[in-house]
Amino acid sequence: MQELTTYTQTFRVKDTDCDLNGYLMPGAFLRMVQQLSTDHCEAIGLNQEFYEKNNAIFLMAKMALQWERVPRCGEVITLTTRPENCKRATYKRVTTVQDEQGNALGMTDSRWVLVDPQARRIIRRPPEAFQSLPFGDDVDYQLDMTIERPQEVERVGQAAAYYTFCDINGHLNNTRYADIACDALPLEQLRQNPVRRISISYHNEVPAGEHFQVQRGSTQNGWYVSGTREGKCCFEAELTL
């Protein structure tokens, strides 16, 4: 495999990436991060054929996004991703963001696990092909992924793994949980401020076509949002405006 422990791309923030005030939305940004990470993996040989041959795929377990300044519509931003080799069955990937002047805007910190796509189980010991990936030994950057649970939550609606929300793995794409969490917040508050921080824990995947209930509650720092399906928690998130 090619040695490529970091990978960089530039993106223009499009109108369709932004909210009603022209700020880049979390879900849209996470789709940029996802594309960057996918391109990086393919550049070092981690493509669909590789995953099928080794009967393993990466699934996100949790992530956090934090902005120093939320990008606006029309800006050109530079993303640099840095993956870390497996530690305790978890892969870490950090992506930092800069504006055209080189100023730091924010970063994401995500943790991934290898999963058997047939058995839908976590692979605790990576297959041989995954034991020598050209990732970094240590990535110093990290974010707090703690999610505060409120004492009370209220149901705010229903969501689903719609056709347009699903990916090649046949379930709700991880970036869409950020969209769902944002949509669960009071619109009047989103009109005043963009989401400056979001942390998400992914507990149980939602297969294509399935529905789940969404609930929210206030926390000391912002809002807690979760999804429940068949008595099981699908995801939890905490957002700060």
Side-chain angles (χ1 to χ4, degrees), residues 25 81 84 95 166 200 203 220 227:
M25 292 183 288
T81 189
E84 185 178 88
T95 302
C166 292
I200 306 175
H203 298 303
Q220 183 176 357

Side-chain angles (χ1 to χ4, degrees), residues 38-96:
T38 299
D39 290 347
H40 180 211
C41 285
E42 290 183 347
I44 59 177
L46 297 181
N47 51 27
Q48 197 63 29
E49 180 181 354
F50 176 87
Y51 296 128
E52 291 175 357
K53 179 181 178 181
N54 292 282
N55 194 39
I57 57 174
F58 283 112
L59 291 184
M60 190 181 288
K62 56 184 178 179
M63 64 75 59
L65 160 63
Q66 184 167 306
W67 291 115
E68 299 298 325
R69 179 179 72 79
V70 183
R72 302 296 301 265
C73 181
E75 285 195 65
V76 174
I77 56 178
T78 299
L79 279 60
T80 299
T81 189
R82 299 172 174 86
E84 185 178 88
N85 278 309
C86 185
K87 294 180 179 179
R88 299 179 181 176
T90 302
Y91 294 81
K92 176 182 177 182
R93 181 179 283 273
V94 169
T95 302
T96 53

Side-chain angles (χ1 to χ4, degrees), residues 7 28 58 116 153:
Y7 197 76
F58 283 112
D116 182 320
V153 296

Side-chain angles (χ1 to χ4, degrees), residues 40-41 45 84 88 181-182 193 201 222 229-230:
H40 180 211
C41 285
E84 185 178 88
R88 299 179 181 176
C182 289
N193 295 291
S201 289
R229 171 177 169 266
E230 297 179 348

Side-chain angles (χ1 to χ4, degrees), residues 119-176:
R120 314 306 283 187
R121 294 177 181 173
I122 295 175
I123 301 172
R124 298 295 179 184
R125 179 169 295 182
E128 183 177 352
F130 286 85
Q131 293 180 12
S132 57
L133 298 178
F135 291 173
D137 291 330
D138 292 289
V139 176
D140 294 333
Y141 306 100
Q142 66 179 25
L143 291 174
D144 181 11
M145 297 187 183
T146 303
I147 294 176
E148 180 187 351
R149 295 188 179 99
Q151 292 185 344
E152 296 183 0
V153 296
E154 61 175 333
R155 180 175 169 179
V156 291
Q158 182 174 263
Y162 297 114
Y163 165 77
T164 56
F165 282 10
C166 292
D167 56 29
I168 197 170
N169 295 316
H171 61 203
L172 187 65
N173 182 265
N174 65 74
T175 69
R176 294 297 180 178

